[in-house]
Amino acid sequence: MAMLTMVQSINQALSQEMARDNRVLLLGEDVGRDGGVFRVSEGLQEQFGAERVIDTPLSESGIVGAAIGMAAYGLRPVAEIQFMGFIYAALDQLYTHAARLRTRSRGRFTCPMVVRTPYGGGIKAPELHEESSEALLCHLPGIKVVVPSGPYNAKGLLLAAIRDPDPVIFLEPTRLYRMLREEVPEDDYTVPLGSARIVKEGTDVTVVAWGSMLERVFKTETAHSLEIIDPQTLTPFDWETLLISVKKTGRLIIVHEAPKTVGFGAEIAATVAEEAILYLRAPIMRVTAPDVVLPLPKLIDHYLPTTEQIRTAIDDIMRY
Amino acid sequence: MAMLTMVQSINQALSQEMARDNRVLLLGEDVGRDGGVFRVSEGLQEQFGAERVIDTPLSESGIVGAAIGMAAYGLRPVAEIQFMGFIYAALDQLYTHAARLRTRSRGRFTCPMVVRTPYGGGIKAPELHEESSEALLCHLPGIKVVVPSGPYNAKGLLLAAIRDPDPVIFLEPTRLYRMLREEVPEDDYTVPLGSARIVKEGTDVTVVAWGSMLERVFKTETAHSLEIIDPQTLTPFDWETLLISVKKTGRLIIVHEAPKTVGFGAEIAATVAEEAILYLRAPIMRVTAPDVVLPLPKLIDHYLPTTEQIRTAIDDIMRY
Amino acid sequence: MPDQICASLDVHSLSILAPDGTVDDALMPPLTETDIQRLYELMVLTRTFDQRAIALQREGRLGTYPPSLGQEAAQVGSAFVLQANDWIFPSFREMGVQLTLGYPINQILQYWAGDERGQQSPPQLNIFPVCVSVGSHLPHAVGTAMAARYRQDPVAVAAWFGDGATSKGDFHEAFNMAGVFKLPLVFICQNNQWAISVPVKGQTASSTLAQKALSYGFEGVRVDGNDVFAVYRATRDALNKARTGDGPTFIECLTYRVADHTTSDDAGRYRSADEVATWSARDPLLRLELHMEGRGIWSKEYAAETLQRATSDIDAAIEVLETTEAPDPDDMFAYCLSQPGQRQSAQRKAV
Amino acid sequence: MPDQICASLDVHSLSILAPDGTVDDALMPPLTETDIQRLYELMVLTRTFDQRAIALQREGRLGTYPPSLGQEAAQVGSAFVLQANDWIFPSFREMGVQLTLGYPINQILQYWAGDERGQQSPPQLNIFPVCVSVGSHLPHAVGTAMAARYRQDPVAVAAWFGDGATSKGDFHEAFNMAGVFKLPLVFICQNNQWAISVPVKGQTASSTLAQKALSYGFEGVRVDGNDVFAVYRATRDALNKARTGDGPTFIECLTYRVADHTTSDDAGRYRSADEVATWSARDPLLRLELHMEGRGIWSKEYAAETLQRATSDIDAAIEVLETTEAPDPDDMFAYCLSQPGQRQSAQRKAV
Ligand SMILES: Cc1ncc(C[n+]2csc(CCOP(=O)(O)OP(=O)(O)O)c2C)c(N)n1
Ligand SMILES: Cc1ncc(C[n+]2csc(CCOP(=O)(O)OP(=O)(O)O)c2C)c(N)n1
Ligand SMILES: [Mg+2]
Ligand SMILES: [Mg+2]
């Protein structure tokens, strides 16, 4: 099996799915001729033509809005927002329309589209290039939110997302794009949406982390036995897997790189505090960015959660 | 003292503050000649002129963006978004700019503006007229979010918001606009941002609710002793007041009309599960809308939290 | 260069049917008398529907409702040219468009009664849900046109919106993409001169809305929106262009919102009775009647019959509306996602 | 009506300085020789800065950097007319604008090194932070112009942006509001013909960008963006208009992005070397040198001196940059809100 980076595995997923299903097409800024600023769609315009790998004007709302129209018509558009920091202009289309089309038309029109976007910090890029605002996409019902954490699940989750009948936001952790290599089967496979993955079994503490924070949790050295969960999909969330784990370990730490307040970690903590509090031996801890504006590169390392902070949280929670 | 509705007390606050401070001006769709679709700015254009009570084109992003420019220049703009369901197109301006201007310019430019918008459900209006998406505004740092719950605090909070040096979103519970009357002093007074209000002291359960849900909590008949907290400001939140109360009662119910997942209730629950779990005698419960798209009027009563659901939660939590 | 004109751009305006009922023969499209009667009947249906809807709202049987009075020609005339397989993106005031295309009357009412089932377009029609968020449906029309072209389907796309919508960012992004991709798309603006209390002069400083198309490299035309033949002709030409791959067109129908913005509005607060009277006198229906009378295809009896038919169609629809069982709260879950997640499944049981 | 022209709209283009260095005397603005030398020196400074910034980036001392090579005339010529109390809204590639207005060189570098302190405009200037989110700063310019007018301050506002920005909704909403409120505002587009890999033809189907102003009821003009006199003249006229209450102007500077989009880009992937060579030959600096030489105000020595001065200014700035202490992580809290909330205060202690 080939050892691929995440850029390569996503590219492969797109290429294979386009070959398999002619309803799939790509649109976005610089996705065609240039192959995307991270080269995720490299070679696809040559392979499938400019009618299917579409360089659009610089119009985030228009891109997502057009994808909604395409999806309603019966295609399976995969739109790219060049960086997550530029998705804000498309939130109206996502909230007002993508999320509601099925409900509003009572199923007459649906919105099977994917919006891919590079996500997260740690690449020392200009402002708005390191956002992790997943929580904003998880609150309003009708959209699914997927965050891969490595080349293998990136391919399988993306194939599942494209085939899903609902709108899916696919957040690609930029820091991992070329950092990790994994064995990625050439074959067609999906990783189902809505299922978490227990990445490592353990007995002392359940640690939930997604995207590039999962890698950071793995890098954290500790003597304690961690049960590490990668949700893979934030909405719909796999509560069952999480609750079973927390009931077993009695301790929960959530790590995310977004600011703390109303981050997705809050939902995880709240759900556990509602449904499994009697099993807890310790407070639920969150290791997150502080509630400040994401800084430019010189300060970013003081903003993103560190292995040090994760270790401290583990040590703290084990004191209970 | 005059008994005023919330529409009247907000109108009075605007009028008095404009008379006091010539940096204050209003802008938005239909705020001038028409006095706002809810008549909140009635009479103000006559009083202060069309240069200060500005009817804008139908451009939510432009309205908020222009308010940012005015604020940076040194004015104190109060922008209106006609209904919260139309704020989504302005989120880019809020997230990318209003929230970050102070940080990005290291204090050289600031953004002392207020964005007012009718908020919440229960008025049997068309789609997008009953949204309660406060959580979306609480996650990204740099913005304050205020929710009045009656005519009295509406006036005092709005005056505080206009005088605040930071951007403030002011969410006006539409259902309460004319439902409640309270004594509202003609005088100038502020209700400070960032301070919760213990509306009713009690010993059994702490119930947190804001906006029009506070009214619903009050309407709920129960034999148990509730300590009812109205946060008034969601960000920055008055954690101290909440934690003291929860440590006293050992039980916490949060009521909000937004969907459950990553609603602001999640943050409250998570914080308590992190900082006061050892004081809890029961799971933290949330009474919220379900995680579905906000329905049209025929189904809205099945969507919004009811006194029945609140009572059930109280009964449930008292079983622990 | 040095100082020279690098672009010269003209905007045309079109009118065919004069207020006295006479037509410009050179421009009159080849409509049969049956066609003309059909146009008339649809305009009467639209107006009658409007009156009944307002009455129902007053009785508390509908929610807030946006009248279309005065815009019947601009709506019926433009929708009349479309085919069943075309894709239609209305804003919220285009009851005349829906009626022309045969959207079930009871469903239109059902929607305004606050029931999503009213938005479930029948399978033979591709009419998108009414879009309350002004202008935000225009990018969908763009995407649909891109999809139709990609599929090589012989489909055109038409989108309606108001003068207020021209101020929204999505209007711009959609128009621009339509131009870049030369899409089979017709944009139809109902310039009824008001966006709630904001007159079109407060909406934009451009002297026509039609000229906004020039920004995007395609044609814009202003038509007399109270002249059903001009609206018909402009839309027909635009659709022909769309169907033959010659790209999008922007049609500005200059008309007037004779009634209040909605049943919750009081237009007397912000505009003069004189202005309303002037425009009421330019009634599109009256003008068409004069024309038809001149041609001998209109009579008082025919008018009465037409009204009678409209009324009974609407009566029948109201009957259906009022005998339809209340929506099932479970539908909130059934239609949110293709399949509810773990959490929604639990919530679903609780409702 | 019936079928007639209801609007006739022209777009002008302007050029003064020919590639051979000669000027159109009728159009040449009354610049003193000192002015012209100052323009030249600022263009040299801009180009030298650009080269040094790229070199610093290669050495890892700056982050991603967007070169302005080829756009010096369009940037310096437009900024030259502004006054210290005017309000300036740059996009991210306008180093020439910042340098012309006297923004500290070390701060420009500091920003591209990833340090917010570089964005703290000195008190005597009103230069907004560089806006990376394309086009989203234009509404701020509108609001500022509204505020200045409300205050009756004799202030004009100028905003710069690229061809790509013209596709954004915020461009439209801002332009439209500027027209409606007839604001003292100049919009300056650097049409460098590329938005990363998308050529301007992929950005819009309109034949000029200038004509987009017609949608908003104000004037648009296209100038040769590699001709510093034309850019100067158009901006001067537009600012005069703004200052005398005659409303906004849109200036399209037709120029070319000679270098890669940023130091992370490889333009060779999407455009031909030929095209780049053609435009490199239209170098704005070369053209100005020829003109000045013809007038006897340029010599090799003067050029060398000018370059020397630019280099030493930049050297000094780099020195400041590199001896500036690292930013304090506490600044994240100090500048987020006027006062940290309860939660931030706790987090602040933890950093
Ligand atoms: C994005 C958005 N902002 C505000 C509103 C509130 N609103 C409803 S209709 C309307 C005016 C629309 O004017 P126009 O586009 O001319 O359509 P008309 O009502 O005249 O048919 C406004 C401001 C809305 N529905 N959507
Ligand atoms: C809203 C937004 N979308 C996407 C990007 C990514 N991006 C950065 S520059 C650029 C192209 C900008 O083109 P143009 O406006 O012509 O300016 P130029 O780079 O040519 O100076 C893009 C797409 C961005 N910064 N902002
Ligand atoms: Mg209108
Ligand atoms: Mg460009």
Side-chain angles (χ1 to χ4, degrees):
Chain A
M1 242 183 302
M3 294 292 288
L4 301 186
T5 63
M6 199 187 286
V7 164
Q8 291 167 328
S9 76
I10 294 173
N11 180 277
Q12 187 179 92
L14 292 171
S15 167
Q16 291 178 351
E17 193 65 358
M18 291 181 79
R20 198 186 71 82
D21 183 351
N22 66 17
R23 295 173 305 173
V24 179
L25 43 70
L26 311 187
L27 70 161
E29 296 155 17
D30 308 293
V31 298
R33 189 83 181 271
D34 196 36
V37 295
F38 286 103
R39 309 288 172 254
V40 168
S41 49
E42 178 146 37
L44 299 180
Q45 195 182 65
E46 279 101 313
Q47 200 182 339
F48 298 104
E51 290 269 298
R52 251 183 112 184
V53 182
I54 305 166
D55 278 321
T56 65
L58 208 165
S59 305
E60 280 75 11
S61 186
I63 291 166
V64 172
I68 293 169
M70 290 174 170
Y73 193 86
L75 303 185
R76 300 260 161 170
V78 179
E80 177 179 296
I81 297 295
Q82 201 163 79
F83 286 91
M84 191 176 198
F86 309 128
I87 208 170
Y88 303 136
L91 289 178
D92 188 24
Q93 284 296 332
L94 290 170
Y95 294 160
T96 304
H97 292 293
R100 303 185 203 221
L101 187 57
R102 182 187 291 273
T103 290
R104 292 169 68 237
S105 70
R106 282 297 184 256
R108 173 65 171 82
F109 300 105
T110 62
C111 192
M113 72 170 186
V114 175
V115 178
R116 297 177 36 248
T117 190
Y119 148 88
I123 57 166
K124 301 273 157 99
E127 66 165 343
L128 296 165
H129 287 65
E130 308 210 1
E131 306 277 301
S132 56
S133 317
E134 64 273 21
L136 301 175
L137 299 163
C138 296
H139 179 47
L140 288 192
I143 313 178
K144 296 175 178 173
V145 179
V146 175
V147 191
S149 54
Y152 176 84
N153 73 358
K155 177 175 173 182
L157 287 164
L158 182 53
L159 289 175
I162 298 174
R163 295 172 195 175
D164 196 86
D166 295 308
V168 180
I169 314 289
F170 194 81
L171 302 173
E172 301 173 359
T174 322
R175 194 166 68 84
L176 305 184
Y177 261 157
R178 295 194 157 82
M179 176 195 274
L180 309 173
R181 281 183 187 270
E182 282 175 0
E183 295 203 338
V184 175
E186 178 79 24
D187 296 351
D188 186 319
Y189 65 93
T190 58
V191 173
L193 306 191
S195 303
R197 185 169 64 110
I198 299 185
V199 191
K200 186 183 155 300
E201 295 197 35
T203 50
D204 292 338
V205 195
T206 300
V207 182
V208 183
W210 50 92
S212 95
M213 284 300 114
L214 190 68
E215 183 262 357
R216 204 149 274 186
V217 169
F218 264 96
K219 277 233 182 88
T220 305
E221 282 165 33
T222 173
H224 302 290
S225 166
L226 308 183
E227 175 136 309
I228 303 178
I229 295 186
D230 175 5
Q232 304 189 110
T233 309
L234 296 181
T235 49
F237 197 88
D238 181 355
W239 296 111
E240 215 175 296
T241 300
L242 173 77
L243 290 168
I244 291 170
S245 174
V246 172
K247 287 176 184 173
K248 180 176 80 177
T249 62
R251 296 186 186 88
L252 173 61
I253 295 174
I254 304 138
V255 184
H256 62 63
E257 56 177 294
K260 185 173 199 170
T261 300
V262 214
F264 197 79
E267 182 54 47
I268 297 175
T271 299
V272 170
E274 192 154 9
E275 300 186 25
I277 203 166
L278 302 180
Y279 297 84
L280 290 179
R281 310 178 196 195
I284 301 171
M285 295 189 182
R286 289 180 282 167
V287 181
T288 71
D291 287 291
V292 299
V293 171
L294 189 110
L296 290 179
K298 290 266 188 216
L299 290 177
I300 191 81
D301 291 339
H302 299 276
Y303 173 89
L304 295 175
T306 59
T307 52
E308 186 56 38
Q309 288 167 320
I310 299 167
R311 185 173 33 248
T312 306
I314 296 167
D315 292 345
D316 285 354
I317 209 167
M318 287 309 295
R319 286 210 189 88
Y320 288 86
Chain B
M1 240 183 303
M3 294 292 287
L4 302 185
T5 64
M6 198 188 285
V7 164
Q8 292 167 329
S9 76
I10 294 173
N11 180 278
Q12 187 179 93
L14 292 171
S15 169
Q16 290 179 350
E17 192 64 0
M18 290 181 78
R20 198 187 71 84
D21 182 350
N22 67 15
R23 295 173 304 172
V24 179
L25 44 69
L26 312 188
L27 69 160
E29 296 156 17
D30 308 292
V31 298
R33 188 83 181 270
D34 196 35
V37 295
F38 287 102
R39 309 288 172 254
V40 169
S41 49
E42 178 145 36
L44 299 180
Q45 195 182 64
E46 279 102 311
Q47 199 181 341
F48 298 102
E51 290 268 299
R52 253 183 110 184
V53 181
I54 305 166
D55 277 321
T56 65
L58 209 166
S59 305
E60 280 75 12
S61 186
I63 290 166
V64 171
I68 293 169
M70 289 175 171
Y73 193 85
L75 303 184
R76 300 260 162 170
V78 179
E80 177 179 296
I81 296 296
Q82 201 162 82
F83 285 91
M84 190 175 200
F86 309 128
I87 209 171
Y88 303 135
L91 289 178
D92 188 24
Q93 284 296 333
L94 289 171
Y95 294 160
T96 303
H97 292 294
R100 304 185 202 220
L101 187 57
R102 183 186 290 272
T103 290
R104 292 169 67 237
S105 70
R106 282 300 184 252
R108 172 65 171 81
F109 300 106
T110 61
C111 193
M113 72 171 186
V114 175
V115 178
R116 296 177 38 246
T117 190
Y119 147 87
I123 57 166
K124 301 274 159 98
E127 66 163 342
L128 296 166
H129 287 65
E130 308 210 2
E131 305 278 301
S132 55
S133 316
E134 65 272 21
L136 301 175
L137 299 162
C138 297
H139 179 46
L140 289 191
I143 313 178
K144 296 175 178 172
V145 179
V146 175
V147 191
S149 54
Y152 176 85
N153 73 357
K155 177 175 173 181
L157 287 165
L158 182 54
L159 289 176
I162 297 174
R163 295 172 196 176
D164 197 86
D166 295 308
V168 180
I169 313 289
F170 195 80
L171 302 173
E172 302 173 359
T174 322
R175 196 166 66 83
L176 305 183
Y177 261 157
R178 296 194 156 82
M179 176 195 274
L180 310 174
R181 281 183 186 270
E182 281 176 1
E183 295 203 336
V184 175
E186 178 80 25
D187 297 352
D188 186 319
Y189 65 92
T190 58
V191 173
L193 306 192
S195 303
R197 184 170 66 110
I198 298 186
V199 191
K200 187 185 154 298
E201 294 196 38
T203 50
D204 292 339
V205 194
T206 300
V207 181
V208 183
W210 50 92
S212 94
M213 284 300 114
L214 189 68
E215 182 262 356
R216 204 148 274 186
V217 169
F218 264 96
K219 278 233 181 86
T220 305
E221 283 165 33
T222 173
H224 302 292
S225 166
L226 307 184
E227 176 138 308
I228 303 178
I229 296 185
D230 176 4
Q232 304 188 110
T233 309
L234 296 180
T235 50
F237 197 88
D238 181 356
W239 296 112
E240 216 173 293
T241 301
L242 174 78
L243 290 169
I244 291 170
S245 174
V246 172
K247 287 176 185 173
K248 180 177 80 177
T249 63
R251 298 187 185 86
L252 173 61
I253 294 174
I254 304 138
V255 184
H256 63 63
E257 56 176 295
K260 184 173 200 172
T261 300
V262 214
F264 196 79
E267 181 55 46
I268 297 175
T271 299
V272 170
E274 192 155 11
E275 300 187 25
I277 203 165
L278 301 180
Y279 296 84
L280 290 178
R281 311 179 196 190
I284 301 171
M285 294 189 185
R286 289 180 282 168
V287 181
T288 70
D291 288 292
V292 299
V293 171
L294 189 109
L296 290 179
K298 290 267 187 217
L299 291 176
I300 190 82
D301 292 338
H302 299 276
Y303 172 88
L304 295 175
T306 59
T307 51
E308 186 54 40
Q309 288 168 320
I310 299 168
R311 185 174 33 247
T312 306
I314 296 168
D315 293 346
D316 284 354
I317 210 167
M318 288 310 295
R319 286 210 189 88
Y320 288 87
Chain C
M1 320 228 199
D3 181 355
Q4 54 193 37
I5 291 172
C6 63
S8 262
L9 306 157
D10 288 337
V11 183
H12 285 252
S13 68
L14 180 69
S15 91
I16 296 174
L17 176 60
D20 64 4
T22 58
V23 297
D24 183 325
D25 286 326
L27 294 170
M28 181 68 187
L31 288 160
T32 64
E33 301 200 326
T34 319
D35 287 338
I36 295 174
Q37 288 189 320
R38 184 84 194 114
L39 282 168
Y40 174 75
E41 289 156 19
L42 286 164
M43 286 168 66
V44 170
L45 179 64
T46 302
R47 181 159 301 179
T48 311
F49 176 91
D50 207 50
Q51 292 161 346
R52 295 296 294 280
I54 293 168
L56 289 170
Q57 192 281 333
R58 297 247 160 81
E59 292 163 17
R61 292 151 82 192
L62 292 191
T64 306
Y65 172 83
S68 61
L69 182 65
Q71 301 181 214
E72 296 85 356
Q75 296 186 359
V76 172
S78 54
F80 198 75
V81 201
L82 286 150
Q83 293 169 5
N85 63 333
D86 290 333
W87 281 63
I88 307 300
F89 293 84
S91 110
F92 53 84
R93 201 187 295 283
E94 275 83 33
M95 278 56 79
V97 170
Q98 294 172 315
L99 291 168
T100 301
L101 290 161
Y103 199 90
I105 302 175
N106 64 297
Q107 281 193 280
I108 306 178
L109 291 167
Q110 192 175 31
Y111 173 68
W112 293 108
D115 185 336
E116 284 85 354
R117 290 174 299 174
Q119 302 258 51
Q120 193 179 43
S121 177
Q124 73 279 13
L125 291 174
N126 301 307
I127 303 190
F128 240 56
V130 157
C131 183
V132 163
S133 175
V134 169
S136 62
H137 57 315
L138 300 178
H140 313 155
V142 164
T144 301
M146 289 172 83
R149 209 208 358 237
Y150 170 70
R151 281 280 185 78
Q152 302 188 294
D153 292 339
V155 159
V157 178
W160 280 258
F161 52 95
D163 43 301
T166 64
S167 299
K168 283 289 288 183
D170 273 353
F171 162 92
H172 178 69
E173 299 197 4
F175 268 58
N176 189 49
M177 287 175 75
V180 167
F181 297 117
K182 229 182 166 201
L183 297 175
L185 188 39
V186 184
F187 292 113
I188 301 163
C189 181
Q190 303 276 304
N191 179 2
N192 64 10
Q193 305 188 54
W194 289 91
I196 311 187
S197 73
V198 178
V200 70
K201 280 217 158 20
Q203 205 62 247
T204 184
S206 91
S207 53
T208 69
L209 299 181
Q211 75 201 53
K212 290 181 187 281
L214 304 176
S215 280
Y216 313 107
F218 57 87
E219 190 194 349
V221 54
R222 166 178 273 195
V223 307
D224 179 346
N226 288 3
D227 166 351
V228 70
F229 298 139
V231 174
Y232 171 88
R233 186 190 164 101
T235 319
R236 182 203 65 182
D237 291 352
L239 274 166
N240 285 343
K241 257 177 70 184
R243 294 192 202 285
T244 52
D246 291 328
T249 309
F250 177 29
I251 301 172
E252 174 193 2
C253 302
L254 185 66
T255 177
Y256 194 78
R257 197 197 79 211
V258 175
D260 292 335
H261 171 67
T262 65
T263 48
S264 312
D265 178 50
D266 171 11
R269 294 173 64 87
Y270 52 76
R271 65 182 188 183
S272 73
D274 272 5
E275 181 184 299
V276 179
T278 307
W279 278 94
S280 299
R282 298 185 192 155
D283 184 12
L285 201 48
L286 184 66
R287 202 185 289 191
L288 181 57
E289 283 177 358
L290 287 174
H291 173 74
M292 290 169 71
E293 195 172 18
R295 280 174 83 153
I297 54 170
W298 186 90
S299 65
K300 291 229 162 102
E301 297 68 46
Y302 166 70
E305 246 170 56
T306 301
L307 180 62
Q308 178 48 44
R309 250 192 329 248
T311 305
S312 72
D313 285 357
I314 295 163
D315 283 342
I318 295 172
E319 176 69 22
V320 175
L321 174 76
E322 309 240 308
T323 55
T324 303
E325 76 294 0
D328 184 346
D330 187 69
D331 284 356
M332 296 192 294
F333 295 91
Y335 293 107
C336 184
L337 292 168
S338 52
Q339 286 200 310
Q342 292 172 15
R343 168 159 294 178
Q344 281 125 325
S345 298
Q347 293 172 338
R348 186 175 195 170
K349 285 188 205 114
V351 165
Chain D
M1 320 229 196
D3 182 355
Q4 53 195 32
I5 291 171
C6 62
S8 262
L9 308 155
D10 288 337
V11 183
H12 285 252
S13 68
L14 180 69
S15 91
I16 296 172
L17 176 60
D20 65 3
T22 59
V23 298
D24 183 324
D25 287 325
L27 294 170
M28 182 71 186
L31 288 161
T32 65
E33 298 199 329
T34 319
D35 287 338
I36 295 175
Q37 287 188 321
R38 185 83 193 112
L39 282 168
Y40 174 75
E41 288 156 20
L42 286 164
M43 287 168 65
V44 170
L45 178 64
T46 302
R47 182 159 301 181
T48 312
F49 176 90
D50 207 52
Q51 290 161 348
R52 296 296 293 280
I54 293 168
L56 289 170
Q57 191 280 334
R58 297 248 160 80
E59 293 163 16
R61 292 150 83 192
L62 293 191
T64 306
Y65 173 83
S68 61
L69 183 65
Q71 301 181 214
E72 296 86 356
Q75 297 187 357
V76 172
S78 53
F80 199 75
V81 200
L82 286 151
Q83 293 169 6
N85 64 334
D86 290 333
W87 281 63
I88 307 299
F89 293 83
S91 110
F92 53 84
R93 201 187 295 283
E94 275 83 32
M95 277 57 80
V97 170
Q98 294 173 314
L99 291 167
T100 300
L101 290 161
Y103 198 91
I105 302 175
N106 63 298
Q107 281 192 280
I108 306 178
L109 291 167
Q110 191 174 31
Y111 172 68
W112 292 109
D115 186 336
E116 284 86 353
R117 291 174 299 174
Q119 302 259 50
Q120 193 180 42
S121 178
Q124 73 279 13
L125 292 175
N126 301 308
I127 303 190
F128 239 56
V130 157
C131 184
V132 163
S133 175
V134 169
S136 62
H137 57 315
L138 301 178
H140 312 154
V142 164
T144 302
M146 290 172 83
R149 213 217 346 244
Y150 170 71
R151 281 278 185 78
Q152 301 187 295
D153 292 339
V155 158
V157 178
W160 280 258
F161 52 95
D163 42 302
T166 65
S167 298
K168 284 289 289 183
D170 273 353
F171 162 92
H172 177 69
E173 299 196 5
F175 269 57
N176 189 48
M177 288 175 76
V180 166
F181 297 116
K182 229 181 165 203
L183 298 175
L185 187 39
V186 184
F187 291 113
I188 302 162
C189 180
Q190 304 275 304
N191 179 2
N192 64 10
Q193 303 188 54
W194 289 90
I196 310 186
S197 73
V198 178
V200 69
K201 280 218 158 17
Q203 205 61 246
T204 184
S206 90
S207 54
T208 69
L209 299 181
Q211 76 200 55
K212 290 180 186 281
L214 304 176
S215 280
Y216 312 107
F218 58 87
E219 189 194 353
V221 54
R222 166 178 274 196
V223 307
D224 178 346
N226 287 4
D227 166 350
V228 71
F229 298 140
V231 174
Y232 171 88
R233 186 190 164 100
T235 318
R236 182 202 65 182
D237 293 351
L239 274 167
N240 286 343
K241 256 177 68 184
R243 294 192 203 284
T244 52
D246 291 327
T249 310
F250 177 29
I251 301 172
E252 174 193 1
C253 303
L254 186 66
T255 177
Y256 194 78
R257 195 196 80 210
V258 174
D260 292 334
H261 170 67
T262 65
T263 48
S264 311
D265 178 50
D266 171 11
R269 293 173 63 88
Y270 52 77
R271 65 182 188 182
S272 74
D274 272 6
E275 181 185 299
V276 179
T278 306
W279 279 93
S280 299
R282 299 184 191 155
D283 184 13
L285 201 48
L286 183 66
R287 203 185 288 191
L288 181 58
E289 282 178 356
L290 286 174
H291 173 74
M292 291 169 71
E293 194 172 21
R295 281 174 82 152
I297 55 169
W298 187 90
S299 65
K300 291 230 159 102
E301 298 70 45
Y302 165 70
E305 249 169 53
T306 302
L307 180 61
Q308 176 50 43
R309 251 193 327 248
T311 305
S312 72
D313 287 356
I314 295 164
D315 282 342
I318 295 172
E319 176 70 22
V320 175
L321 174 77
E322 309 241 309
T323 55
T324 304
E325 76 295 359
D328 185 346
D330 186 69
D331 285 356
M332 295 191 296
F333 295 90
Y335 293 107
C336 184
L337 292 167
S338 52
Q339 286 200 312
Q342 292 173 15
R343 168 160 293 176
Q344 281 125 323
S345 298
Q347 292 171 340
R348 186 175 195 170
K349 285 187 205 115
V351 165

